[in-house]
Amino acid sequence: MKPDELRGLAQKEQEARKSYRFRINVCCSSGCMPFGALRVLTAFRDAVREFKVEEECYVARTGCIGTCSLAPAVLVEPGDYLYQNVTPERAREIVKEHIVNGRPVKSMLYGNEAFFKKQLRVVLRNTGKIDPLRIEDYIAVGGYYALLKALTRMTPQGVIEEVALSGLKGRGGAGFLTGLKWRYVARAPGSPKYVIANLDEGDPGVFANRTLAEADPHAILEGMAIAAYAVGSQKGYIYVRSEYPLAVQTLKKAIEAAKSMGFLGENIFETSFSFDVELRLGAGAFVAGEETAILASIEGRRAMPRPRPPYPAQSGLWGKPTLVNNVETLANVPVILLKGSEWFSSIGSKNCTGTKCFSLTGKVNNPGLIEVPMGITLREVVFEIGGGVPPGRRFKAVQVGGPSGGFLPEQLLDLPIDYESLTKAGAIMGSGGIVVLDDTSCMVDTAKFFTEFCVDESCGKCTPCRAGLHKLFKILDGFTRGEGSVEDLSKVEDLCEFIKEASLCGLGQTAPNPTLTTLRYFRDEYVAHVMDKRCPAGKCFRSGGGGGVE
Amino acid sequence: MSKPIELTIDGRKVVAEEGETILKAAKKNGIYVPTLCYLEGVSSFGGCRLCMVEIKGSPRLFASCITPVAEGMEVLTDSERLRRYRKWAVELLLAERPHVCSVCVANGSCELQQLATELGVDHLRVDREWTDYEVDLTHERFAYDPNRCILCTRCIRVCDEVEGVHTLDLMLRGKNSKVVFDLDENWGFSQSCTSCGKCSAACPVGALYVKGKPLSEVKKKDLVSFIMERRSGK
Amino acid sequence: MAKVRLATVWLSGCSGCHMSFLDQDEKVLELAEKIELVYSPIADVKDFPENVDVTLVEGAVGNEEQLELLKRIRRNTRILVALGDCAVNGNVTALRNSLRNSDEEVLKRAYVENASINQAAPKQVPRLLKRVLALNEVVNVDAYVPGCPPSAELINQVLNDLLEGRTPVLEGRFKYG
Ligand SMILES: Cc1cc2nc3c(=O)[nH]c(=O)nc-3n(C[C@H](O)[C@H](O)[C@H](O)COP(=O)(O)O)c2cc1C
Ligand code: SF4
Ligand code: SF4
Ligand code: SF4
Ligand code: FES
């Protein structure tokens, strides 16, 4: 594709879009599919034909809109009217009333403005608004312009500088400065170089990366291509969890489309830059998302982490310099190039720019996928966007960062969400899971539940994580059955410290967080268990034991 | 010839070669660092965490058997924190499977037992596991007792990298990890095993052993480094 | 100076640790000057006394009687020492823990499967625990003397440390097994 062709195509698509007065976006991602989204899609198409409004109303099959608890969800533009729990019958009514008569069906609208009010969509800019399977849809909203700009008007160093200036940090968990990482890879001796997009997302209850891939796959591909140009790579891999069949399908089709249009392949935009992307399916373990485990897995070995240094940037795939970035990190890149690093760094807080996607779950009124500016407080997320805990319940704790994230109490709710603040409080950014607990949860039981998850997911390579976590689990399990004494609490802390500091990879290093934070902020509950043999939440000491977080 | 790197270990200035590990640099200079999964002559694994050291300027700990030296690095191989953690590591390994030294073939020449002595692990603060893996006696010369395996993977690496066969590998994950022959075959029926015995020579504990011989009679660790030294023509 | 009240106890063990204790040879005599042996398998005392300064416990906890006894020992002892691998970590005594239903299984093996006459599990002995326990799985232990058996020399050193009010440091001085 030539630069002019991209402009021409975008214009044509935009005009086509404008020729419709309405656009009905039907979410057909993993969240809505089980609730009959495809039947709803057909119903809309039938109704549009029935009422003869095909000319003015376009029905699009899109990715996730973010309100998964309202599945199937439908978004009508203009005006972003969001309909919830749409059925084929309701679809017909929406067409009849909203499209034909111009009267949005109030009773079916998602009445919750607060859910969207504090959100800001940068990464999820297109999700729910474009058809992920039509590359033209992506082009219509400015897709592949950033790649064009990079290849034709910027040097690789220029691209790296721009990304560095934006302050973007890795969204895969550790929050390493993306620009700096790119610089390391670009400067590392050795060739060929590789780019890996990390879409393993093994945390239970976290689905932001999946949503992105299902709803806007080209944003990932474009980000990868720009990254590859910046670091001097010609070959990229997307390492995607095999449990995400729809994401895999969508990405496969997107890669084909991008290749046939010439956004991937040889001499992209008639420059000397060539870049090819392949999919690699994950090995089905949480730890397989760790970057050095990915390297092993792609090379065909057991997905076990190895110590760093050497970092993948120095010695990655087959010993060559390799850039590993999370897909959310990569999806930010095209916007940064188009709107500028200054615009990006104006979002969020000083040390932590941009936005972050979170999967908000647990005991909140409005669960779902959200994207918020960094620096927003936990209180805003839980009580404004999430709408607080269900009626009659009291907020108890919020877990940030997935299974190995820490639990923060009420008094820390005004903590701004950024890497430093969270880490200081004992939580982590992780891959963006936020789980809200109310007063029905026992914190000892909850710590045990997440420790057990990590025991099961430990790869078994290093002693602290493999043997230490198992012992930790057994001690916690004993607490929930009335075993142990107050002295055991300091033994637990001691063991946790060892696991945290001596483990080889991030799994072991963060796995003690649930225990450490509950010990720190909810110690009285532990004391009640070991001293009074009593569970304040009434979960433990029952036959069959507790159940963790439902 | 690679360029020399200057660093300090425990306050002593030492010179190492580029690409060399901290452990190697320490050893060459007579500085002792405890190790367990490390085996001279094969690649490093970095799993047991015994060889952890502190590096000035980083809050992290580094496995010295696998971390390369760098110019100006200030390494500490011994500290209260390191000793505390090394103790935990040995304790957890002893508790992870039933180690009953008094009736073990390796009694007296076991590296784990030796480390327990050295680090003062005179008791265990955690309950012990009593796994009941079947002991594999199907090979005519060797035996394998998974109940004593500490998952150091030395045997796997020796079999793969020195003998070049890769009969051994890990099965399952986490605490259920198990060293297996071929696709979890009994040793005696392994199609690929050449019965060279390097794995039992490499095993730091009493998990792999020669039938009918106390381990004290089999010079262990040195066999592999001897072979590798010969091969490199030194 | 009042003599230190010393007790030695034999739980589930082979008595090897006591043999090793006696193996201190002439040093036992030196020790005898400083201690009063208030309870021991080698002394004829029925009940574990009160106010004991130091108790050496050989063997793991294998049955209910031993469990009760150990708790009583703990209540009545200032310094409780786990003597030997069985007391420290279960050792051979605890090997039965790898069997499923080990309490029944172990009796069956010994008294039924491997017996040539009177094939029946004994009934008049204290009930076995489901799992053999090391001392510190039951009570707090103040000092550990590993070894199977621990050497007479080590026992002597540790005792002297304790008698002189020092905390024994075993680094480099003991050996499991
Ligand atoms: C146990 C474990 C699991 C991980 N899983 C993921 C994952 O699913 N996705 C991801 O992007 N990063 C994951 N990471 C982090 C990666 O190792 C790596 O830091 C990240 O992909 C780098 O990309 P970034 O700089 O864009 O954040 C995981 C790390 C650990 C320790
Ligand atoms: S910390 Fe856990 S997951 Fe990571 S290498 Fe060690 S055992 Fe494997
Ligand atoms: S392998 Fe070593 S530590 Fe384990 S029982 Fe044998 S001698 Fe003891
Ligand atoms: S069998 Fe021996 S050498 Fe092999 S992993 Fe186990 S302990 Fe290590
Ligand atoms: S010897 Fe270095 S980690 Fe085991």
Side-chain angles (χ1 to χ4, degrees), chain A residues 170-173 181 198 200-202 286-287 289-291 324-326 329 506-507:
Chain A
R171 302 299 194 232
K181 198 190 264 185
N198 189 347
D200 196 57
E201 202 170 47
F286 176 46
V287 74
E290 198 279 338
E291 56 187 18
V324 185
N325 267 142
N326 172 263
T329 314
L507 195 153

mmCIF file with all atom_site columns, all heavy atoms in Angstrom, chain A residues 170-173 181 198 200-202 286-287 289-291 324-326 329 506-507, ligand 1:
data_model
loop_
_atom_site.group_PDB
_atom_site.id
_atom_site.type_symbol
_atom_site.label_atom_id
_atom_site.label_alt_id
_atom_site.label_comp_id
_atom_site.label_asym_id
_atom_site.label_entity_id
_atom_site.label_seq_id
_atom_site.pdbx_PDB_ins_code
_atom_site.Cartn_x
_atom_site.Cartn_y
_atom_site.Cartn_z
_atom_site.occupancy
_atom_site.B_iso_or_equiv
_atom_site.pdbx_formal_charge
_atom_site.auth_seq_id
_atom_site.auth_comp_id
_atom_site.auth_asym_id
_atom_site.auth_atom_id
_atom_site.pdbx_PDB_model_num
ATOM   1   N N   . GLY A 1 170 ? 5.272  0.068   31.012 1.00 0.00 ? 170 GLY A N   1
ATOM   2   C CA  . GLY A 1 170 ? 4.739  -1.228  30.622 1.00 0.00 ? 170 GLY A CA  1
ATOM   3   C C   . GLY A 1 170 ? 3.484  -1.593  31.388 1.00 0.00 ? 170 GLY A C   1
ATOM   4   O O   . GLY A 1 170 ? 3.437  -1.494  32.604 1.00 0.00 ? 170 GLY A O   1
ATOM   5   N N   . ARG A 1 171 ? 2.463  -2.016  30.673 1.00 0.00 ? 171 ARG A N   1
ATOM   6   C CA  . ARG A 1 171 ? 1.191  -2.329  31.311 1.00 0.00 ? 171 ARG A CA  1
ATOM   7   C C   . ARG A 1 171 ? 1.077  -3.801  31.701 1.00 0.00 ? 171 ARG A C   1
ATOM   8   O O   . ARG A 1 171 ? 0.037  -4.260  32.129 1.00 0.00 ? 171 ARG A O   1
ATOM   9   C CB  . ARG A 1 171 ? 0.032  -1.964  30.367 1.00 0.00 ? 171 ARG A CB  1
ATOM   10  C CG  . ARG A 1 171 ? -0.006 -0.496  29.937 1.00 0.00 ? 171 ARG A CG  1
ATOM   11  C CD  . ARG A 1 171 ? -0.161 0.444   31.124 1.00 0.00 ? 171 ARG A CD  1
ATOM   12  N NE  . ARG A 1 171 ? -0.527 1.790   30.687 1.00 0.00 ? 171 ARG A NE  1
ATOM   13  C CZ  . ARG A 1 171 ? 0.109  2.909   31.050 1.00 0.00 ? 171 ARG A CZ  1
ATOM   14  N NH1 . ARG A 1 171 ? 1.169  2.839   31.842 1.00 0.00 ? 171 ARG A NH1 1
ATOM   15  N NH2 . ARG A 1 171 ? -0.320 4.072   30.639 1.00 0.00 ? 171 ARG A NH2 1
ATOM   16  N N   . GLY A 1 172 ? 2.161  -4.540  31.483 1.00 0.00 ? 172 GLY A N   1
ATOM   17  C CA  . GLY A 1 172 ? 2.133  -5.974  31.797 1.00 0.00 ? 172 GLY A CA  1
ATOM   18  C C   . GLY A 1 172 ? 2.306  -6.260  33.274 1.00 0.00 ? 172 GLY A C   1
ATOM   19  O O   . GLY A 1 172 ? 2.217  -7.394  33.701 1.00 0.00 ? 172 GLY A O   1
ATOM   20  N N   . GLY A 1 173 ? 2.610  -5.235  34.055 1.00 0.00 ? 173 GLY A N   1
ATOM   21  C CA  . GLY A 1 173 ? 2.691  -5.455  35.487 1.00 0.00 ? 173 GLY A CA  1
ATOM   22  C C   . GLY A 1 173 ? 3.816  -4.713  36.162 1.00 0.00 ? 173 GLY A C   1
ATOM   23  O O   . GLY A 1 173 ? 3.618  -4.031  37.153 1.00 0.00 ? 173 GLY A O   1
ATOM   24  N N   . LYS A 1 181 ? 13.072 0.686   27.526 1.00 0.00 ? 181 LYS A N   1
ATOM   25  C CA  . LYS A 1 181 ? 13.214 -0.709  27.088 1.00 0.00 ? 181 LYS A CA  1
ATOM   26  C C   . LYS A 1 181 ? 13.493 -0.756  25.589 1.00 0.00 ? 181 LYS A C   1
ATOM   27  O O   . LYS A 1 181 ? 14.358 -1.496  25.135 1.00 0.00 ? 181 LYS A O   1
ATOM   28  C CB  . LYS A 1 181 ? 11.931 -1.476  27.419 1.00 0.00 ? 181 LYS A CB  1
ATOM   29  C CG  . LYS A 1 181 ? 12.124 -2.983  27.422 1.00 0.00 ? 181 LYS A CG  1
ATOM   30  C CD  . LYS A 1 181 ? 10.792 -3.718  27.500 1.00 0.00 ? 181 LYS A CD  1
ATOM   31  C CE  . LYS A 1 181 ? 10.418 -4.109  28.902 1.00 0.00 ? 181 LYS A CE  1
ATOM   32  N NZ  . LYS A 1 181 ? 9.183  -4.936  28.953 1.00 0.00 ? 181 LYS A NZ  1
ATOM   33  N N   . ASN A 1 198 ? 2.824  -9.597  24.381 1.00 0.00 ? 198 ASN A N   1
ATOM   34  C CA  . ASN A 1 198 ? 2.410  -10.517 25.433 1.00 0.00 ? 198 ASN A CA  1
ATOM   35  C C   . ASN A 1 198 ? 0.904  -10.444 25.647 1.00 0.00 ? 198 ASN A C   1
ATOM   36  O O   . ASN A 1 198 ? 0.370  -9.458  26.132 1.00 0.00 ? 198 ASN A O   1
ATOM   37  C CB  . ASN A 1 198 ? 3.161  -10.155 26.720 1.00 0.00 ? 198 ASN A CB  1
ATOM   38  C CG  . ASN A 1 198 ? 2.966  -11.186 27.812 1.00 0.00 ? 198 ASN A CG  1
ATOM   39  O OD1 . ASN A 1 198 ? 2.095  -12.038 27.722 1.00 0.00 ? 198 ASN A OD1 1
ATOM   40  N ND2 . ASN A 1 198 ? 3.796  -11.104 28.846 1.00 0.00 ? 198 ASN A ND2 1
ATOM   41  N N   . ASP A 1 200 ? -0.789 -13.157 27.173 1.00 0.00 ? 200 ASP A N   1
ATOM   42  C CA  . ASP A 1 200 ? -1.027 -14.424 27.856 1.00 0.00 ? 200 ASP A CA  1
ATOM   43  C C   . ASP A 1 200 ? -2.118 -14.286 28.910 1.00 0.00 ? 200 ASP A C   1
ATOM   44  O O   . ASP A 1 200 ? -2.910 -15.194 29.107 1.00 0.00 ? 200 ASP A O   1
ATOM   45  C CB  . ASP A 1 200 ? 0.265  -14.952 28.488 1.00 0.00 ? 200 ASP A CB  1
ATOM   46  C CG  . ASP A 1 200 ? 0.127  -16.423 28.841 1.00 0.00 ? 200 ASP A CG  1
ATOM   47  O OD1 . ASP A 1 200 ? -0.167 -17.196 27.916 1.00 0.00 ? 200 ASP A OD1 1
ATOM   48  O OD2 . ASP A 1 200 ? 0.261  -16.783 30.013 1.00 0.00 ? 200 ASP A OD2 1
ATOM   49  N N   . GLU A 1 201 ? -2.131 -13.162 29.558 1.00 0.00 ? 201 GLU A N   1
ATOM   50  C CA  . GLU A 1 201 ? -3.199 -12.814 30.517 1.00 0.00 ? 201 GLU A CA  1
ATOM   51  C C   . GLU A 1 201 ? -3.746 -14.011 31.291 1.00 0.00 ? 201 GLU A C   1
ATOM   52  O O   . GLU A 1 201 ? -4.893 -14.414 31.119 1.00 0.00 ? 201 GLU A O   1
ATOM   53  C CB  . GLU A 1 201 ? -4.348 -12.096 29.802 1.00 0.00 ? 201 GLU A CB  1
ATOM   54  C CG  . GLU A 1 201 ? -5.192 -11.275 30.754 1.00 0.00 ? 201 GLU A CG  1
ATOM   55  C CD  . GLU A 1 201 ? -6.170 -10.381 29.995 1.00 0.00 ? 201 GLU A CD  1
ATOM   56  O OE1 . GLU A 1 201 ? -6.848 -10.845 29.069 1.00 0.00 ? 201 GLU A OE1 1
ATOM   57  O OE2 . GLU A 1 201 ? -6.236 -9.199  30.323 1.00 0.00 ? 201 GLU A OE2 1
ATOM   58  N N   . GLY A 1 202 ? -2.906 -14.551 32.148 1.00 0.00 ? 202 GLY A N   1
ATOM   59  C CA  . GLY A 1 202 ? -3.309 -15.751 32.873 1.00 0.00 ? 202 GLY A CA  1
ATOM   60  C C   . GLY A 1 202 ? -4.022 -15.488 34.179 1.00 0.00 ? 202 GLY A C   1
ATOM   61  O O   . GLY A 1 202 ? -4.491 -16.423 34.819 1.00 0.00 ? 202 GLY A O   1
ATOM   62  N N   . PHE A 1 286 ? -0.296 -19.842 34.152 1.00 0.00 ? 286 PHE A N   1
ATOM   63  C CA  . PHE A 1 286 ? -0.192 -18.444 34.545 1.00 0.00 ? 286 PHE A CA  1
ATOM   64  C C   . PHE A 1 286 ? 1.235  -17.949 34.332 1.00 0.00 ? 286 PHE A C   1
ATOM   65  O O   . PHE A 1 286 ? 1.475  -16.887 33.771 1.00 0.00 ? 286 PHE A O   1
ATOM   66  C CB  . PHE A 1 286 ? -0.603 -18.341 36.017 1.00 0.00 ? 286 PHE A CB  1
ATOM   67  C CG  . PHE A 1 286 ? -0.460 -16.982 36.617 1.00 0.00 ? 286 PHE A CG  1
ATOM   68  C CD1 . PHE A 1 286 ? -0.915 -15.854 35.955 1.00 0.00 ? 286 PHE A CD1 1
ATOM   69  C CD2 . PHE A 1 286 ? 0.109  -16.826 37.871 1.00 0.00 ? 286 PHE A CD2 1
ATOM   70  C CE1 . PHE A 1 286 ? -0.787 -14.596 36.529 1.00 0.00 ? 286 PHE A CE1 1
ATOM   71  C CE2 . PHE A 1 286 ? 0.235  -15.574 38.441 1.00 0.00 ? 286 PHE A CE2 1
ATOM   72  C CZ  . PHE A 1 286 ? -0.209 -14.465 37.778 1.00 0.00 ? 286 PHE A CZ  1
ATOM   73  N N   . VAL A 1 287 ? 2.186  -18.776 34.750 1.00 0.00 ? 287 VAL A N   1
ATOM   74  C CA  . VAL A 1 287 ? 3.578  -18.350 34.706 1.00 0.00 ? 287 VAL A CA  1
ATOM   75  C C   . VAL A 1 287 ? 4.099  -18.237 33.271 1.00 0.00 ? 287 VAL A C   1
ATOM   76  O O   . VAL A 1 287 ? 5.103  -17.592 33.009 1.00 0.00 ? 287 VAL A O   1
ATOM   77  C CB  . VAL A 1 287 ? 4.460  -19.298 35.544 1.00 0.00 ? 287 VAL A CB  1
ATOM   78  C CG1 . VAL A 1 287 ? 4.659  -20.622 34.840 1.00 0.00 ? 287 VAL A CG1 1
ATOM   79  C CG2 . VAL A 1 287 ? 5.788  -18.658 35.877 1.00 0.00 ? 287 VAL A CG2 1
ATOM   80  N N   . GLY A 1 289 ? 3.129  -16.409 31.135 1.00 0.00 ? 289 GLY A N   1
ATOM   81  C CA  . GLY A 1 289 ? 3.093  -15.010 30.711 1.00 0.00 ? 289 GLY A CA  1
ATOM   82  C C   . GLY A 1 289 ? 4.321  -14.232 31.143 1.00 0.00 ? 289 GLY A C   1
ATOM   83  O O   . GLY A 1 289 ? 4.525  -13.106 30.718 1.00 0.00 ? 289 GLY A O   1
ATOM   84  N N   . GLU A 1 290 ? 5.134  -14.844 31.993 1.00 0.00 ? 290 GLU A N   1
ATOM   85  C CA  . GLU A 1 290 ? 6.377  -14.195 32.413 1.00 0.00 ? 290 GLU A CA  1
ATOM   86  C C   . GLU A 1 290 ? 7.311  -14.170 31.217 1.00 0.00 ? 290 GLU A C   1
ATOM   87  O O   . GLU A 1 290 ? 7.413  -15.143 30.477 1.00 0.00 ? 290 GLU A O   1
ATOM   88  C CB  . GLU A 1 290 ? 6.979  -14.974 33.587 1.00 0.00 ? 290 GLU A CB  1
ATOM   89  C CG  . GLU A 1 290 ? 8.005  -14.219 34.381 1.00 0.00 ? 290 GLU A CG  1
ATOM   90  C CD  . GLU A 1 290 ? 9.398  -14.206 33.772 1.00 0.00 ? 290 GLU A CD  1
ATOM   91  O OE1 . GLU A 1 290 ? 9.697  -15.111 32.953 1.00 0.00 ? 290 GLU A OE1 1
ATOM   92  O OE2 . GLU A 1 290 ? 10.187 -13.319 34.075 1.00 0.00 ? 290 GLU A OE2 1
ATOM   93  N N   . GLU A 1 291 ? 8.005  -13.071 31.027 1.00 0.00 ? 291 GLU A N   1
ATOM   94  C CA  . GLU A 1 291 ? 8.675  -12.871 29.741 1.00 0.00 ? 291 GLU A CA  1
ATOM   95  C C   . GLU A 1 291 ? 9.723  -13.936 29.396 1.00 0.00 ? 291 GLU A C   1
ATOM   96  O O   . GLU A 1 291 ? 9.808  -14.368 28.254 1.00 0.00 ? 291 GLU A O   1
ATOM   97  C CB  . GLU A 1 291 ? 9.261  -11.465 29.637 1.00 0.00 ? 291 GLU A CB  1
ATOM   98  C CG  . GLU A 1 291 ? 10.214 -11.072 30.747 1.00 0.00 ? 291 GLU A CG  1
ATOM   99  C CD  . GLU A 1 291 ? 10.610 -9.597  30.628 1.00 0.00 ? 291 GLU A CD  1
ATOM   100 O OE1 . GLU A 1 291 ? 9.911  -8.839  29.939 1.00 0.00 ? 291 GLU A OE1 1
ATOM   101 O OE2 . GLU A 1 291 ? 11.632 -9.223  31.228 1.00 0.00 ? 291 GLU A OE2 1
ATOM   102 N N   . VAL A 1 324 ? 9.919  -7.489  24.664 1.00 0.00 ? 324 VAL A N   1
ATOM   103 C CA  . VAL A 1 324 ? 8.656  -8.080  25.123 1.00 0.00 ? 324 VAL A CA  1
ATOM   104 C C   . VAL A 1 324 ? 7.811  -6.957  25.697 1.00 0.00 ? 324 VAL A C   1
ATOM   105 O O   . VAL A 1 324 ? 8.224  -6.271  26.617 1.00 0.00 ? 324 VAL A O   1
ATOM   106 C CB  . VAL A 1 324 ? 8.877  -9.152  26.214 1.00 0.00 ? 324 VAL A CB  1
ATOM   107 C CG1 . VAL A 1 324 ? 7.542  -9.823  26.555 1.00 0.00 ? 324 VAL A CG1 1
ATOM   108 C CG2 . VAL A 1 324 ? 9.887  -10.188 25.766 1.00 0.00 ? 324 VAL A CG2 1
ATOM   109 N N   . ASN A 1 325 ? 6.647  -6.751  25.116 1.00 0.00 ? 325 ASN A N   1
ATOM   110 C CA  . ASN A 1 325 ? 5.713  -5.753  25.620 1.00 0.00 ? 325 ASN A CA  1
ATOM   111 C C   . ASN A 1 325 ? 4.325  -6.339  25.728 1.00 0.00 ? 325 ASN A C   1
ATOM   112 O O   . ASN A 1 325 ? 3.918  -7.170  24.917 1.00 0.00 ? 325 ASN A O   1
ATOM   113 C CB  . ASN A 1 325 ? 5.641  -4.534  24.688 1.00 0.00 ? 325 ASN A CB  1
ATOM   114 C CG  . ASN A 1 325 ? 6.600  -3.425  25.071 1.00 0.00 ? 325 ASN A CG  1
ATOM   115 O OD1 . ASN A 1 325 ? 7.187  -2.775  24.225 1.00 0.00 ? 325 ASN A OD1 1
ATOM   116 N ND2 . ASN A 1 325 ? 6.770  -3.201  26.359 1.00 0.00 ? 325 ASN A ND2 1
ATOM   117 N N   . ASN A 1 326 ? 3.626  -5.852  26.707 1.00 0.00 ? 326 ASN A N   1
ATOM   118 C CA  . ASN A 1 326 ? 2.233  -6.222  26.859 1.00 0.00 ? 326 ASN A CA  1
ATOM   119 C C   . ASN A 1 326 ? 1.413  -5.591  25.712 1.00 0.00 ? 326 ASN A C   1
ATOM   120 O O   . ASN A 1 326 ? 1.774  -4.536  25.193 1.00 0.00 ? 326 ASN A O   1
ATOM   121 C CB  . ASN A 1 326 ? 1.757  -5.705  28.216 1.00 0.00 ? 326 ASN A CB  1
ATOM   122 C CG  . ASN A 1 326 ? 0.277  -5.872  28.397 1.00 0.00 ? 326 ASN A CG  1
ATOM   123 O OD1 . ASN A 1 326 ? -0.483 -4.939  28.169 1.00 0.00 ? 326 ASN A OD1 1
ATOM   124 N ND2 . ASN A 1 326 ? -0.133 -7.055  28.756 1.00 0.00 ? 326 ASN A ND2 1
ATOM   125 N N   . THR A 1 329 ? 0.264  -2.054  26.386 1.00 0.00 ? 329 THR A N   1
ATOM   126 C CA  . THR A 1 329 ? 1.360  -1.097  26.188 1.00 0.00 ? 329 THR A CA  1
ATOM   127 C C   . THR A 1 329 ? 1.434  -0.729  24.708 1.00 0.00 ? 329 THR A C   1
ATOM   128 O O   . THR A 1 329 ? 1.502  0.445   24.332 1.00 0.00 ? 329 THR A O   1
ATOM   129 C CB  . THR A 1 329 ? 2.705  -1.735  26.613 1.00 0.00 ? 329 THR A CB  1
ATOM   130 O OG1 . THR A 1 329 ? 2.551  -2.390  27.857 1.00 0.00 ? 329 THR A OG1 1
ATOM   131 C CG2 . THR A 1 329 ? 3.804  -0.708  26.682 1.00 0.00 ? 329 THR A CG2 1
ATOM   132 N N   . GLY A 1 506 ? 8.590  -13.107 39.066 1.00 0.00 ? 506 GLY A N   1
ATOM   133 C CA  . GLY A 1 506 ? 7.535  -12.283 39.628 1.00 0.00 ? 506 GLY A CA  1
ATOM   134 C C   . GLY A 1 506 ? 6.431  -13.054 40.315 1.00 0.00 ? 506 GLY A C   1
ATOM   135 O O   . GLY A 1 506 ? 5.790  -12.537 41.224 1.00 0.00 ? 506 GLY A O   1
ATOM   136 N N   . LEU A 1 507 ? 6.192  -14.275 39.908 1.00 0.00 ? 507 LEU A N   1
ATOM   137 C CA  . LEU A 1 507 ? 5.119  -15.033 40.540 1.00 0.00 ? 507 LEU A CA  1
ATOM   138 C C   . LEU A 1 507 ? 5.417  -15.226 42.018 1.00 0.00 ? 507 LEU A C   1
ATOM   139 O O   . LEU A 1 507 ? 4.640  -14.846 42.889 1.00 0.00 ? 507 LEU A O   1
ATOM   140 C CB  . LEU A 1 507 ? 4.916  -16.379 39.849 1.00 0.00 ? 507 LEU A CB  1
ATOM   141 C CG  . LEU A 1 507 ? 3.596  -17.093 40.183 1.00 0.00 ? 507 LEU A CG  1
ATOM   142 C CD1 . LEU A 1 507 ? 3.159  -17.992 39.051 1.00 0.00 ? 507 LEU A CD1 1
ATOM   143 C CD2 . LEU A 1 507 ? 3.669  -17.897 41.455 1.00 0.00 ? 507 LEU A CD2 1
HETATM 144 C C1  . LIG D 2 .   ? 3.920  -14.881 36.709 1.00 0.00 ? 1   LIG D C1  1
HETATM 145 C C2  . LIG D 2 .   ? 3.913  -13.759 35.733 1.00 0.00 ? 1   LIG D C2  1
HETATM 146 C C3  . LIG D 2 .   ? 2.926  -13.683 34.779 1.00 0.00 ? 1   LIG D C3  1
HETATM 147 C C4  . LIG D 2 .   ? 2.917  -12.669 33.862 1.00 0.00 ? 1   LIG D C4  1
HETATM 148 N N1  . LIG D 2 .   ? 1.895  -12.623 32.969 1.00 0.00 ? 1   LIG D N1  1
HETATM 149 C C5  . LIG D 2 .   ? 1.863  -11.614 32.084 1.00 0.00 ? 1   LIG D C5  1
HETATM 150 C C6  . LIG D 2 .   ? 0.812  -11.531 31.157 1.00 0.00 ? 1   LIG D C6  1
HETATM 151 O O1  . LIG D 2 .   ? -0.085 -12.362 31.135 1.00 0.00 ? 1   LIG D O1  1
HETATM 152 N N2  . LIG D 2 .   ? 0.813  -10.509 30.281 1.00 0.00 ? 1   LIG D N2  1
HETATM 153 C C7  . LIG D 2 .   ? 1.804  -9.567  30.288 1.00 0.00 ? 1   LIG D C7  1
HETATM 154 O O2  . LIG D 2 .   ? 1.772  -8.674  29.464 1.00 0.00 ? 1   LIG D O2  1
HETATM 155 N N3  . LIG D 2 .   ? 2.798  -9.618  31.158 1.00 0.00 ? 1   LIG D N3  1
HETATM 156 C C8  . LIG D 2 .   ? 2.865  -10.614 32.060 1.00 0.00 ? 1   LIG D C8  1
HETATM 157 N N4  . LIG D 2 .   ? 3.895  -10.653 32.934 1.00 0.00 ? 1   LIG D N4  1
HETATM 158 C C9  . LIG D 2 .   ? 4.936  -9.615  32.871 1.00 0.00 ? 1   LIG D C9  1
HETATM 159 C C10 . LIG D 2 .   ? 5.973  -9.955  31.807 1.00 0.00 ? 1   LIG D C10 1
HETATM 160 O O3  . LIG D 2 .   ? 6.987  -10.740 32.386 1.00 0.00 ? 1   LIG D O3  1
HETATM 161 C C11 . LIG D 2 .   ? 6.652  -8.726  31.233 1.00 0.00 ? 1   LIG D C11 1
HETATM 162 O O4  . LIG D 2 .   ? 7.106  -7.961  32.275 1.00 0.00 ? 1   LIG D O4  1
HETATM 163 C C12 . LIG D 2 .   ? 5.760  -7.871  30.391 1.00 0.00 ? 1   LIG D C12 1
HETATM 164 O O5  . LIG D 2 .   ? 5.164  -8.612  29.383 1.00 0.00 ? 1   LIG D O5  1
HETATM 165 C C13 . LIG D 2 .   ? 6.574  -6.751  29.796 1.00 0.00 ? 1   LIG D C13 1
HETATM 166 O O6  . LIG D 2 .   ? 5.766  -5.917  29.035 1.00 0.00 ? 1   LIG D O6  1
HETATM 167 P P1  . LIG D 2 .   ? 5.508  -4.393  29.430 1.00 0.00 ? 1   LIG D P1  1
HETATM 168 O O7  . LIG D 2 .   ? 6.852  -3.735  29.621 1.00 0.00 ? 1   LIG D O7  1
HETATM 169 O O8  . LIG D 2 .   ? 4.774  -3.842  28.280 1.00 0.00 ? 1   LIG D O8  1
HETATM 170 O O9  . LIG D 2 .   ? 4.724  -4.386  30.680 1.00 0.00 ? 1   LIG D O9  1
HETATM 171 C C14 . LIG D 2 .   ? 3.925  -11.685 33.875 1.00 0.00 ? 1   LIG D C14 1
HETATM 172 C C15 . LIG D 2 .   ? 4.915  -11.756 34.823 1.00 0.00 ? 1   LIG D C15 1
HETATM 173 C C16 . LIG D 2 .   ? 4.915  -12.771 35.743 1.00 0.00 ? 1   LIG D C16 1
HETATM 174 C C17 . LIG D 2 .   ? 6.003  -12.818 36.739 1.00 0.00 ? 1   LIG D C17 1
#
